[in-house]
Amino acid sequence: MLEIILNSLDECNNFSKRFSKTLKNGDVISLVGDLGAGKTTFTKFLGKNLGIGEDITSPTFNLVNLYSGKFEFNHMDLYRIDSPEELYQIDYENYFYPDGITVIEWAENADYLLPKNLIELEILKISENSRKIVIKGNNKRELEIIEELQ
């Protein structure tokens, strides 16, 4: 398990830069945390550090936004999904098994459809400016990333 405390937006950006260097084509990242924990902020930093030039916005209403940079970058927000079956309408396999990288907010709403090597980052709000990032190491890919970040 890896736990990192971030006390400012600069520290969040620096962590996302380090994290981005561990990623490879086909990675799917789940961001878990309460509303306001910083999932979209982290995604914006991550996208920027992966060479996305345009502004990354939350895809809450259209479920997925697509960007191009160092990798194809898919940003999904499943907050409004009530059941995994709703994802059949959007060809979810393209995003869960991507040619590029996918970041999913509220991935738990996809339940059993999620890939087994999902990289889960839990973002916990400690105070107005501080967050804790937790990577548990539940699968091979998470363990590889933890090793690279330590």
Side-chain angles (χ1 to χ4, degrees):
M1 181 184 304
L2 178 69
E3 295 184 356
I4 295 178
I5 304 293
L6 307 173
N7 291 307
S8 67
L9 288 175
D10 282 342
E11 288 183 16
C12 183
N13 185 33
N14 289 336
F15 172 73
S16 78
K17 193 176 295 182
R18 287 179 50 222
F19 181 72
S20 73
K21 292 175 182 171
T22 70
L23 297 177
K24 59 186 182 185
N25 198 45
D27 279 341
V28 179
I29 301 136
S30 165
L31 299 180
V32 175
D34 292 334
L35 275 173
K39 296 180 294 294
T40 301
T41 298
F42 180 80
T43 302
K44 288 178 183 217
F45 285 134
L46 184 61
K48 185 182 86 173
N49 288 312
L50 289 170
I52 306 299
E54 59 193 293
D55 188 36
I56 292 174
T57 58
S58 181
T60 301
F61 293 101
N62 53 343
L63 298 183
V64 64
N65 288 338
L66 311 175
Y67 304 93
S68 290
K70 180 180 174 186
F71 297 97
E72 178 182 290
F73 187 79
N74 309 304
H75 179 202
M76 298 185 81
D77 185 331
L78 304 183
Y79 181 74
R80 298 177 68 229
I81 294 292
D82 292 320
S83 73
E85 290 76 24
E86 290 180 49
L87 293 173
Y88 293 133
Q89 300 167 24
I90 64 160
D91 295 329
Y92 73 92
E93 298 95 340
N94 293 327
Y95 310 113
F96 289 6
Y97 303 95
D99 182 21
I101 292 173
T102 297
V103 174
I104 310 172
E105 297 183 40
W106 304 98
E108 61 272 21
N109 291 345
D111 196 24
Y112 62 87
L113 296 176
L114 292 169
K116 68 176 185 164
N117 270 329
L118 185 71
I119 302 159
E120 186 173 284
L121 273 65
E122 185 175 12
I123 303 175
L124 302 164
K125 186 174 181 177
I126 298 171
S127 69
E128 193 57 41
N129 297 317
S130 297
R131 304 293 188 268
K132 182 196 302 190
I133 305 273
V134 179
I135 306 174
K136 293 180 181 161
N138 288 328
N139 59 53
K140 180 183 175 205
R141 192 66 189 106
E142 283 185 5
L143 291 170
E144 290 170 357
I145 288 171
I146 289 170
E147 188 175 317
E148 286 185 59
L149 289 172
Q150 288 180 326

mmCIF file of all heavy atoms in Angstrom, residues 5 15 95 99 102 105 120 142:
data_model
loop_
_atom_site.group_PDB
_atom_site.id
_atom_site.type_symbol
_atom_site.label_atom_id
_atom_site.label_comp_id
_atom_site.label_asym_id
_atom_site.label_seq_id
_atom_site.Cartn_x
_atom_site.Cartn_y
_atom_site.Cartn_z
ATOM 1 N N ILE A 5 0.471 12.188 1.252
ATOM 2 C CA ILE A 5 -0.260 13.389 1.663
ATOM 3 C C ILE A 5 0.149 14.531 0.737
ATOM 4 O O ILE A 5 1.333 14.775 0.518
ATOM 5 C CB ILE A 5 0.058 13.766 3.131
ATOM 6 C CG1 ILE A 5 -0.238 12.603 4.090
ATOM 7 C CG2 ILE A 5 -0.680 15.038 3.533
ATOM 8 C CD1 ILE A 5 -1.691 12.244 4.219
ATOM 9 N N PHE A 15 2.746 15.253 -7.824
ATOM 10 C CA PHE A 15 2.443 13.823 -7.719
ATOM 11 C C PHE A 15 1.889 13.301 -9.038
ATOM 12 O O PHE A 15 2.261 12.218 -9.494
ATOM 13 C CB PHE A 15 1.466 13.525 -6.572
ATOM 14 C CG PHE A 15 1.017 12.095 -6.579
ATOM 15 C CD1 PHE A 15 1.883 11.077 -6.185
ATOM 16 C CD2 PHE A 15 -0.247 11.743 -7.025
ATOM 17 C CE1 PHE A 15 1.497 9.747 -6.230
ATOM 18 C CE2 PHE A 15 -0.650 10.419 -7.070
ATOM 19 C CZ PHE A 15 0.227 9.411 -6.667
ATOM 20 N N TYR A 95 -13.223 1.964 -23.656
ATOM 21 C CA TYR A 95 -12.648 2.783 -22.590
ATOM 22 C C TYR A 95 -12.068 1.938 -21.464
ATOM 23 O O TYR A 95 -11.118 2.341 -20.815
ATOM 24 C CB TYR A 95 -13.717 3.740 -22.047
ATOM 25 C CG TYR A 95 -14.399 4.491 -23.162
ATOM 26 C CD1 TYR A 95 -15.742 4.275 -23.448
ATOM 27 C CD2 TYR A 95 -13.684 5.376 -23.969
ATOM 28 C CE1 TYR A 95 -16.362 4.943 -24.485
ATOM 29 C CE2 TYR A 95 -14.293 6.037 -25.019
ATOM 30 C CZ TYR A 95 -15.632 5.814 -25.273
ATOM 31 O OH TYR A 95 -16.242 6.461 -26.316
ATOM 32 N N ASP A 99 -7.017 1.830 -26.206
ATOM 33 C CA ASP A 99 -5.774 2.108 -26.898
ATOM 34 C C ASP A 99 -5.393 3.494 -26.410
ATOM 35 O O ASP A 99 -5.769 4.499 -26.994
ATOM 36 C CB ASP A 99 -5.988 2.091 -28.419
ATOM 37 C CG ASP A 99 -4.683 2.337 -29.158
ATOM 38 O OD1 ASP A 99 -3.614 2.118 -28.564
ATOM 39 O OD2 ASP A 99 -4.744 2.763 -30.322
ATOM 40 N N THR A 102 -7.366 5.522 -19.777
ATOM 41 C CA THR A 102 -8.692 5.955 -19.353
ATOM 42 C C THR A 102 -8.663 6.285 -17.866
ATOM 43 O O THR A 102 -8.127 5.517 -17.064
ATOM 44 C CB THR A 102 -9.755 4.865 -19.617
ATOM 45 O OG1 THR A 102 -9.838 4.639 -21.026
ATOM 46 C CG2 THR A 102 -11.123 5.279 -19.092
ATOM 47 N N GLU A 105 -13.972 8.543 -13.099
ATOM 48 C CA GLU A 105 -14.488 9.000 -11.813
ATOM 49 C C GLU A 105 -15.767 8.219 -11.532
ATOM 50 O O GLU A 105 -16.540 7.948 -12.436
ATOM 51 C CB GLU A 105 -14.790 10.502 -11.867
ATOM 52 C CG GLU A 105 -13.552 11.344 -12.118
ATOM 53 C CD GLU A 105 -13.847 12.832 -12.090
ATOM 54 O OE1 GLU A 105 -14.645 13.263 -11.220
ATOM 55 O OE2 GLU A 105 -13.295 13.550 -12.932
ATOM 56 N N GLU A 120 -6.538 1.778 -8.951
ATOM 57 C CA GLU A 120 -7.454 2.570 -8.132
ATOM 58 C C GLU A 120 -6.689 3.528 -7.236
ATOM 59 O O GLU A 120 -5.837 3.108 -6.464
ATOM 60 C CB GLU A 120 -8.327 1.647 -7.282
ATOM 61 C CG GLU A 120 -9.404 2.409 -6.524
ATOM 62 C CD GLU A 120 -10.361 1.484 -5.817
ATOM 63 O OE1 GLU A 120 -11.228 0.884 -6.498
ATOM 64 O OE2 GLU A 120 -10.246 1.362 -4.585
ATOM 65 N N GLU A 142 -1.150 -2.257 -9.995
ATOM 66 C CA GLU A 142 -1.024 -1.339 -8.863
ATOM 67 C C GLU A 142 0.302 -1.546 -8.136
ATOM 68 O O GLU A 142 0.958 -0.580 -7.748
ATOM 69 C CB GLU A 142 -2.182 -1.520 -7.875
ATOM 70 C CG GLU A 142 -3.471 -0.900 -8.338
ATOM 71 C CD GLU A 142 -4.582 -0.994 -7.292
ATOM 72 O OE1 GLU A 142 -4.334 -1.470 -6.157
ATOM 73 O OE2 GLU A 142 -5.711 -0.598 -7.617
#
